[in-house]
Amino acid sequence: MLVTTVGCMGGLAQLLYVIKGHKIPAEFNGLEGKRVAVVCISDASAYGPDTLTDTISKLVGMKLQNDVKGIKVVPAKTVENWADQNVWDETDFSAIGKGVKADVVVGIQIADYSIREGSTLYQGRCEVTATVFDIKNDGQVTYLIGPDQFQFPEQPRPAIQTNDRKFEAIFLAKLTEVISRRFYAYDRLDTVAEDARFMR
């Protein structure tokens, strides 16, 4: 009888997993229902236009808009225009938040960015920090990620299998996914499937 009961419980657990999945809760849900500006800077930003930071800002903004309940992400173009038209100290995320009338700023800082391991292998790596600033509360920091060392994939890929443009697209997609999913619940199985897709 005990074996039968255990067997039934195991079957029930499997059924619930199929129905509900294995959700990982958001580490920080303070973006829900807020007007949010996503701003990315890198250690190369000070030397002129930086397509890397523009891409990361846009990709993270898209992920948050799609997956965070009730969020309103400030259009990337609005953030870019404000930064272009104002004298902005790139470390002052509160100023840009006030400028674009955001409730919250997700400030992302990228350092030591590279996508190659030697001349014949691809492996992306960077140092990433993400900070949430509550603009409605004098720019108070309410959540902090890092600084973390991010590397993908675990094993370098031979350069013969891809090229700079394709590999960088894969790397940035993974990097922005890792940053974004701190702010919403996700299914653990989805990350396994995504990794497999990225590495095709």
Side-chain angles (χ1 to χ4, degrees), residues 115-124 155-160 167:
I115 60 170
R116 279 187 173 267
E117 184 68 28
S119 60
T120 60
L121 296 171
Y122 283 108
Q123 186 175 52
Q155 299 300 321
R157 295 185 69 181
I160 196 171
F167 179 80

Side-chain angles (χ1 to χ4, degrees), residues 12-118:
L12 179 59
Q14 288 180 342
L15 179 61
L16 286 173
Y17 184 84
V18 169
I19 294 171
K20 300 181 73 173
H22 190 90
K23 284 285 187 182
I24 307 298
E27 287 187 16
F28 179 79
N29 59 11
L31 304 186
E32 294 184 1
K34 302 288 179 63
R35 178 175 166 84
V36 177
V38 179
V39 184
C40 181
I41 63 172
S42 79
D43 47 9
S45 299
Y47 301 102
D50 185 355
T51 56
L52 168 67
T53 56
D54 291 345
T55 301
I56 292 173
S57 297
K58 288 172 184 173
L59 289 176
V60 171
M62 288 168 58
K63 290 288 289 180
L64 297 180
Q65 187 67 60
N66 289 337
D67 293 304
V68 176
K69 185 177 179 181
I71 196 173
K72 174 63 176 175
V73 174
V74 178
K77 197 65 182 172
T78 300
V79 175
E80 290 170 16
N81 288 343
W82 188 93
D84 288 343
Q85 294 166 13
N86 293 270
V87 178
W88 176 52
D89 172 358
E90 286 199 335
T91 60
D92 189 355
F93 291 100
S94 293
I96 200 166
K98 291 174 185 174
V100 299
K101 297 181 172 56
D103 301 319
V104 175
V105 170
V106 177
I108 302 166
Q109 295 168 282
I110 303 293
D112 301 326
Y113 178 88
S114 68
I115 60 170
R116 279 187 173 267
E117 184 68 28

Side-chain angles (χ1 to χ4, degrees), residues 177-191:
E177 177 202 279
V178 167
I179 296 169
S180 304
R181 72 184 182 202
R182 304 290 188 101
F183 302 107
Y184 54 82
Y186 65 94
D187 195 310
R188 190 190 297 275
L189 284 182
D190 289 344
T191 64

Side-chain angles (χ1 to χ4, degrees), residues 191-200:
T191 64
V192 175
E194 281 295 294
D195 284 353
R197 180 177 69 81
F198 287 144
M199 297 314 301
R200 277 182 211 163

